[in-house]
Amino acid sequence: MSSKKQILKLYKALLRESQKFPAYNFREYSLRRVRDAFKENKNLTDEILVTDRLKEAVRNFEIIKRQVVLGQMYSTEKLVIENLLKS
């Protein structure tokens, strides 16, 4: 079974990578999905389910990394809400 330390490391990596999205909507959606998925599965005890969820999280991490790179290639202007949050 994967240790809690590995799971926490993956969780933090997912959050860090999600913060890199240049687009506000993608960034917020990704952060919300990561937090919700880990909260939803925090009480799993079955090793098989935990392993499956971890594999899914690693696949999602790779997807997020690719999407961040694509998003940086085609960046747009910041939204009004982003400018308000910085103030």
Side-chain angles (χ1 to χ4, degrees):
M1 184 173 154
S2 297
S3 72
K4 288 186 179 190
K5 200 173 213 177
Q6 288 174 320
I7 294 169
L8 185 59
K9 185 177 178 181
L10 179 59
Y11 176 69
K12 287 181 179 181
L14 281 161
L15 289 177
R16 253 185 266 112
E17 197 64 31
S18 295
Q19 285 285 358
K20 294 178 184 178
F21 273 110
Y24 174 81
N25 289 327
F26 288 122
R27 184 173 53 247
E28 292 301 313
Y29 174 77
S30 181
L31 289 168
R32 189 171 50 251
R33 275 301 295 137
V34 168
R35 287 185 193 114
D36 291 347
F38 274 82
K39 281 181 188 177
E40 184 178 308
N41 295 307
K42 75 178 182 179
N43 294 323
L44 286 180
T45 55
D46 183 18
E47 284 188 43
I48 296 170
L49 282 175
V50 170
T51 304
D52 287 344
R53 294 304 191 277
L54 281 175
K55 287 178 184 176
E56 183 181 346
V58 170
R59 282 193 305 269
N60 287 335
F61 179 67
E62 294 300 322
I63 291 169
I64 290 171
K65 283 173 48 175
R66 283 192 305 268
Q67 289 302 120
V68 164
V69 170
L70 284 173
Q72 290 170 345
M73 290 172 65
Y74 302 103
S75 62
T76 59
E77 293 182 31
K78 292 192 179 280
L79 298 175
V80 173
I81 191 163
E82 290 179 280
N83 293 331
L84 293 175
L85 293 175
K86 299 274 178 170
S87 299

